[in-house]
Amino acid sequence: MTTETMMHERRNRVTVGLALIGLGLVFLLGYVINTGLLVLPLMALIFALVGIRTREAGWFIPAGILGGVGLGASLG
């Protein structure tokens, strides 16, 4: 493998790890204080940020689904 490929894989691993930590913090925040309907939009934001950082379109699919459900729950 080339050095560029190894750096790209390492950056993706770090990004996914930070996303998992962020999701854990969202769930912890949901238990500590009553965030209510903010959990789904926060999760959508995390997935969207990971998609932007890794430049992979697959992360935007769960971001769109969670964002849509969160918006629907907030407005309903």
Side-chain angles (χ1 to χ4, degrees):
M1 275 200 279
T2 65
T3 305
E4 182 178 326
T5 305
M6 290 172 40
M7 291 298 291
H8 181 71
E9 287 180 8
R10 182 173 181 222
R11 186 181 66 176
N12 284 346
R13 288 180 184 170
V14 169
T15 304
V16 171
L18 289 174
L20 289 174
I21 290 171
L23 286 173
L25 289 174
V26 167
F27 289 134
L28 179 65
L29 184 67
Y31 283 117
V32 173
I33 58 175
N34 189 11
T35 56
L37 299 175
L38 292 178
V39 172
L40 292 176
L42 287 174
M43 289 174 56
L45 179 66
I46 290 172
F47 278 111
L49 290 174
V50 171
I52 291 169
R53 171 114 169 107
T54 60
R55 297 179 180 163
E56 294 178 3
W59 291 99
F60 293 108
I61 295 169
I65 292 170
L66 290 172
V69 171
L71 181 66
S74 297
L75 294 177

